[in-house]
Amino acid sequence: MARKARNHALFKVGGLVELAGLLECDKGALLGGLLEIAETWRNGPESPCFQEWKQFGDPQLARREAERKSTTKKKHRNRKAGLGTGRDSKCQDLIGKRLLVDTLWRN
């Protein structure tokens, strides 16, 4: 696996650990749990235990993705309406001030 792809895969796994609320978990316990998952995976993805975990995890991921898309759409709508924050707002302010200065200069 190329380095960039590997780093991306590791980053995604870290996101799953965070999503599960395990960032503060004891490292030994976390590794033990992951090794248990790896053993189950070696038995095949059709194993009952693996399928149970998948049925519990898939809806969580779907809900997170729906929330992410909803947030992205809101940000996009706000930008189109000129309601952006941060740099977009500063740019709008600067454009407005520049127009005011140009108008005053001409008069």
Side-chain angles (χ1 to χ4, degrees):
M1 186 182 275
R3 188 171 138 193
K4 187 174 180 179
R6 181 179 182 277
N7 287 343
H8 183 69
L10 291 172
F11 184 78
K12 287 178 11 180
V13 170
L16 293 173
V17 169
E18 180 182 29
L19 187 61
L22 295 173
L23 286 178
E24 302 299 321
C25 181
D26 178 79
K27 291 177 185 175
L30 181 58
L31 179 58
L34 291 171
L35 290 170
E36 191 70 28
I37 292 169
E39 181 66 32
T40 302
W41 174 251
R42 281 190 284 277
N43 293 333
E46 64 282 338
S47 73
C49 189
F50 185 84
Q51 287 303 312
E52 183 180 335
W53 292 335
K54 183 167 176 49
Q55 287 175 359
F56 185 68
D58 281 347
Q60 303 291 328
L61 292 172
R63 187 172 20 263
R64 181 174 179 243
E65 181 65 17
E67 288 171 1
R68 188 189 65 77
K69 284 183 179 179
S70 174
T71 303
T72 302
K73 285 181 183 178
K74 285 178 187 175
K75 286 180 183 177
H76 182 69
R77 272 184 270 152
N78 287 345
R79 268 194 218 119
K80 286 179 96 175
L83 301 174
T85 59
R87 187 173 149 196
D88 291 340
S89 293
K90 290 177 184 175
C91 289
Q92 292 297 328
D93 289 345
L94 289 173
I95 291 169
K97 288 176 183 176
R98 179 65 187 178
L99 290 173
L100 177 63
V101 168
D102 287 347
T103 303
L104 292 173
W105 183 258
R106 286 187 203 140
N107 293 332

